[in-house]
């Protein structure tokens, strides 16, 4: 049908214009900005019962979506009401864009992660009900700024740390407040306690304060406590028993006590050993990736072996969970990591792992597969028999006169750099490790290093304990800008790599209380030494004596650049690799001893030619 504007009646023309306008409206603005925020909320969740299935992003407003209530005239969202919908995952910080939100009711679900800090922007919020979820971490003081809040229900979660002082002004207009059954600690702020002295704090063992129900008094002073009174009758002069009798009685009691403990321990041990460590529950799946050396074990084989895993197979525990060794009949052993952390959603978990499964490099621990079930998430890796770098450098082996020689250290430095460079520059999409630390560098029997846990930082919302930021603001491996913003970039990895390099060069831990009064962290200490022109003092004395010093100074300079406070001053990992490889090019091979052959070939690059690296002080990088 051909139709020109000429033979249209005025009515038809109007209709056409209306049609065009509506079309434009539909195409141009699929859903309004509040809808976009809510779609992000949905994206990050697991919704096993389809509670959000009618959240269709081709609607213009979210007002007809289940659980959403809008104001009638303006169509702004004023309530999110999704209790008991079996939802899990983290709550999108984008909800802070719902400026007119008055009620947020998500109780009886399985939400996890921290309480999103941007919630403090929801200045119209009147009801916040998050009871009975798995929220964890500290309560942000900024939540105390919710001026219109009337009901704050946080009971039955896993919240830690103190009740912020800022809640003092919050509670003055609050009608209901409950933080029972969390893991809060410290003193309840006085104003909060004055306003709510009833059963608002039950089941927080380390929370204290005067006069609240279920609270113990703070700072119980042992000198004032009358608890020492009952022991008085045992004193010889107040009792008719002889000294010998008392001693015999005490010995008898002591032995009976020990015996009781032993029986308990044995019982517990017997029970534990028969405990099944990994139970998949119903409806899980195991995905094994192909590739890698040898034939991959089948899911069935993995499943069979997994049933035999017991407590004794635990090889380590870290921020992400417990790691087990999995013995297989016809294949080399594997390592299974049981994630305890809070996941954004199972869907994004699987997508992300499909990507990580394709990553293959000599210096990266191969991800062999994963297992995803509602109750448990497992990662299956190649097993590395040589322990981790932290144990190698700072573990017990050192005490038994086991010295980690320079060729080993160099091999590790180069291998780790290559692994990271591959993640940053050799992968599509590029991968940011996000958690480079010496405990994430695993070794084989030849001391070849393998980076583990790459990409997990993005996947798992880190719990508070994992990032090693201590109270004084001391940082081990974490770049300062990352600690502030939480935004991971390649340069964050480069910083952590610099700390690893310093660990290898100095033999010290990333966080070492003995360094100086000012700096408990290695990076700060070295930066300080460097600014005083004494950087070489950072190098391990043993290394300085056994290796010709000039090589180490270049490496120290590389490390110094990596730990620059300004991310832009840090080199890229492929640049670092290039620099480290100079040593192999000039005959300084990782497997050789410190045989520094003369620099015969003048066409080979000098370290000082590489942009960003200058020799320290008056040292020459390559003397002839
Ligand atoms: N693939 C593996 N092979 C051998 N040991 C491993 C493997 N993965 C982890 N481990 C051991 O388990 C420990 C705990 O691992 P992880 O949960 O990653 O915590 P973290 O890295 O914080 O130490 C590691 O330090 C390491 O010693
Ligand atoms: C969303 O709505 C559009 C039209 O309004 C429809 O074509 C589409 O099938 C819906 N999608 C879902 C997932 O319901
Ligand atoms: C919106 O209108 C409906 C019916 O017109 C009414 O029942 C409802 O209470 C109104 N909601 C608000 C928030 O005003
Ligand atoms: C929600 O989860 C609980 C326990 O996990 C289960 O018993 C219940 O049937 C689930 N609800 C629905 C609607 O699937
Ligand atoms: C929250 O409020 C602060 C300060 O008022 C502002 O800087 C920030 O951008 C807001 N965040 C969101 C997500 O609206
Ligand atoms: C307990 O709370 C009530 C009202 O919330 C208040 O009137 C009373 O003074 C409080 N008691 C103490 C000891 O603070
Ligand atoms: C707070 O929650 C706990 C646990 O559910 C409950 O026992 C207690 O009565 C509640 N307190 C108030 C003041 O409602
Ligand atoms: Mg690890």
């Amino acid at each position: 049908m051909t139709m020109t504007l000429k033979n249209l009646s005025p009515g038809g023309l109007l209709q056409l214009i209306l049609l065009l306008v509506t079309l434009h409206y539909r195409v141009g603005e699929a859903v309004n900005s509040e809808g976009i925020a809510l779609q992000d909320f949905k994206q990050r969740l697991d919704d096993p019962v389809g509670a959000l299935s009618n959240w269709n992003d081709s609607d213009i407003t979210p007002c007809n979506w289940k659980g959403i209530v809008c104001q009638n005239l303006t169509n702004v969202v004023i309530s999110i009401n999704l209790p008991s919908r079996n939802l899990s995952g983290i709550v999108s910080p984008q909800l802070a864009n719902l400026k007119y939100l008055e009620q947020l009711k998500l109780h009886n679900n399985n939400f996890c992660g921290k309480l999103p800090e941007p919630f403090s922007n929801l200045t119209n919020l009147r009801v916040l009900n998050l009871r009975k979820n798995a929220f964890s971490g500290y309560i942000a003081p900024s939540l105390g700024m919710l001026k219109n809040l009337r009901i704050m229900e946080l009971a039955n979660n896993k919240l830690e740390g103190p009740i912020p002082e800022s809640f003092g002004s919050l509670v003055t207009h609050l009608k209901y407040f409950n933080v029972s059954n969390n893991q809060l600690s410290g003193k309840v702020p006085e104003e909060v306690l004055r306003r709510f002295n009833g059963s608002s704090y039950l089941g927080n063992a380390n929370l204290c304060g005067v006069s609240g129900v279920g609270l113990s008094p703070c700072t119980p002073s042992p000198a004032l406590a009358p608890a020492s009174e009952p022991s008085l009758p045992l004193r010889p002069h107040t009792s008719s028993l002889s000294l010998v009798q008392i001693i015999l009685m005490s010995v008898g009691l002591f032995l009976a006590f020990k015996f009781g403990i032993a029986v308990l321990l044995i019982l517990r041990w017997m029970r534990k050993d028969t405990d099944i460590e990994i139970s998949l529950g119903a409806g899980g799946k195991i995905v094994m990736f192909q590739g890698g050396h040898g034939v991959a074990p089948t899911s069935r084989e993995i499943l069979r072996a997994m049933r035999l895993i017991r407590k004794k197979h635990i090889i380590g525990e870290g921020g992400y969970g417990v790691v087990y060794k999995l013995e297989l009949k016809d294949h080399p052993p594997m390592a299974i990591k049981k994630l305890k952390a809070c996941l954004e959603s199972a869907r994004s978990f699987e997508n992300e792992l499909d990507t990580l499964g394709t990553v293959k490099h000599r210096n990266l621990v191969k991800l062999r597969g994963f297992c995803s079930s509602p109750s448990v998430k497992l990662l299956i890796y190649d097993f590395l028999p040589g322990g981790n770098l932290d144990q190698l450098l700072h573990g017990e082996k050192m005490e038994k006169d086991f010295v980690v020689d320079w060729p080993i250290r160099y091999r590790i430095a180069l291998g780790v750099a290559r692994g990271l460079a591959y993640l940053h520059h050799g992968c599509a999409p590029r991968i940011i490790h996000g958690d480079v630390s010496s405990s994430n560098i695993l070794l084989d029997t030849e001391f070849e290093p393998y980076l583990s846990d790459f990409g997990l930082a993005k996947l798992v919302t880190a719990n508070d304990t994992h990032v090693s930021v201590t109270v004084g603001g001391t940082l081990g491996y974490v770049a300062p800008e990352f600690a502030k913003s939480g935004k991971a970039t390649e340069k964050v990895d480069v910083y952590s790599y610099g700390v690893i390099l310093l660990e290898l060069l100095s033999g010290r831990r990333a966080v070492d209380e003995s360094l100086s009064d000012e700096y408990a962290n290695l990076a700060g200490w070295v930066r300080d030494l460097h600014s005083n022109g004494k950087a070489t003092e950072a190098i391990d004395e043993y290394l300085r004596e056994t290796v010709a010093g000039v090589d180490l100074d270049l490496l120290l300079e590389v490390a110094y650049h990596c730990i620059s406070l300004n991310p832009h001053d840090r080199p890229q990992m492929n640049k670092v690799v290039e620099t480290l490889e100079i040593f192999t090019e000039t005959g300084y091979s990782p497997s050789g001893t410190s045989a520094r052959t003369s620099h015969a070939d003048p066409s080979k690059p000098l370290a000082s030619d590489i942009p960003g690296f200058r020799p320290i002080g008056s040292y020459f990088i390559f003397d002839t």
Side-chain angles (χ1 to χ4, degrees), residues 26 42 53-59:
R26 294 230 152 208
K42 179 183 174 178
S53 57
N54 88 336
W55 286 30
N56 186 337
D57 60 3
S58 46
D59 295 341

Side-chain angles (χ1 to χ4, degrees), residues 213-453:
V213 175
L215 287 176
S216 51
C218 295
T219 58
S221 160
L224 297 176
S228 56
E229 288 302 314
S231 66
L232 279 179
L234 269 182
R235 285 194 189 158
H237 69 272
T238 56
S239 119
S240 56
L241 297 174
S242 75
L243 193 63
V244 177
Q245 276 173 314
I246 290 166
I247 290 175
L248 280 180
M249 250 170 65
S250 328
V251 169
L253 275 174
F254 181 72
L255 286 180
F257 181 63
K258 281 276 172 199
F259 183 72
I261 296 252
V263 168
L264 276 180
L265 278 180
I266 287 172
L267 281 178
R268 218 171 80 179
W269 174 77
M270 277 167 57
R271 202 181 60 224
K272 268 193 183 153
D273 202 49
T274 53
D275 269 355
I276 296 213
E277 280 286 309
I278 299 178
S279 66
L280 295 182
K285 68 169 175 183
I286 294 189
V287 175
M288 294 302 289
F289 303 122
Q290 292 306 313
H293 39 264
V295 185
T298 61
S299 309
R300 194 176 293 274
E301 282 173 289
I302 295 276
L303 204 56
R304 200 179 308 131
M306 227 146 61
R307 288 209 192 89
L308 302 176
I309 287 189
R310 298 289 177 271
K311 272 242 158 33
K312 64 177 182 205
H313 294 110
I314 293 180
I315 47 177
E317 178 162 9
Y320 296 126
V322 186
V323 184
Y324 303 89
K325 182 172 180 180
L326 182 76
E327 312 267 10
L328 290 158
K329 238 195 270 160
D330 306 316
H331 301 275
M334 303 216 158
I336 290 206
K337 175 169 285 184
K338 185 164 82 175
L339 295 180
K340 71 169 176 207
C342 159
L343 294 174
E344 261 196 37
S345 83
R347 212 168 349 110
S348 67
F349 174 74
E350 285 162 27
N351 289 343
E352 201 65 41
L353 288 185
D354 281 339
T355 314
L356 294 183
T358 61
V359 175
K360 211 175 138 211
H361 184 270
R362 174 176 164 82
N363 296 110
L364 300 173
V365 182
K366 181 91 186 88
L367 179 68
R368 288 311 193 114
F370 66 87
C371 171
S372 173
S373 87
S375 57
V376 68
K377 303 274 183 287
L378 306 172
L379 304 178
I380 305 166
Y381 288 104
D382 276 341
F383 175 80
L384 271 297
N388 64 40
L389 178 61
D390 188 59
Q391 292 158 349
L392 180 75
L393 289 180
H394 318 299
E396 281 136 28
K397 272 185 184 171
M398 282 297 272
E399 281 156 22
K400 289 186 220 136
D401 267 0
F402 178 88
V403 194
V404 188
D405 264 326
W406 176 244
I408 293 176
R409 294 188 196 222
Y410 175 63
R411 177 176 211 170
I412 292 171
L414 183 57
V416 174
R418 282 177 173 157
L420 270 180
Y422 181 76
L423 288 177
H424 290 180
H425 308 291
C427 282
R430 74 209 160 94
I431 292 171
I432 291 166
H433 189 298
D435 189 17
V436 177
S437 70
S438 59
S439 77
N440 275 337
I441 294 167
L442 305 179
L443 304 164
D444 66 11
T445 48
E446 246 89 73
F447 298 105
E448 185 69 26
Y450 294 77
L451 269 167
S452 79
D453 293 348

Side-chain angles (χ1 to χ4, degrees), residues 558-611:
V558 174
Y560 178 71
H561 277 268
C562 291
I563 60 164
S564 284
L565 291 174
N566 183 351
H568 302 294
D569 291 346
R570 295 175 205 150
Q572 297 199 311
M573 278 319 295
N574 49 11
K575 212 83 223 165
V576 173
V577 171
E578 252 176 59
T579 312
L580 297 199
E581 277 174 347
I582 290 173
F583 295 106
T584 51
E585 280 176 24
T586 53
Y588 195 102
S589 79
S591 51
T593 53
S594 49
R596 291 171 11 85
T597 56
S598 60
H599 187 253
D601 185 357
S603 68
K604 286 268 159 61
L606 289 177
S608 47
D609 294 341
I610 296 172

Side-chain angles (χ1 to χ4, degrees), residues 69-72 78:
V69 179
C70 292
Q71 213 169 44
N72 277 345
I78 53 171

Side-chain angles (χ1 to χ4, degrees), residues 193-197 211:
L193 203 48
R194 212 174 303 135
R195 180 77 181 79
F196 295 97
N197 50 27
S211 92

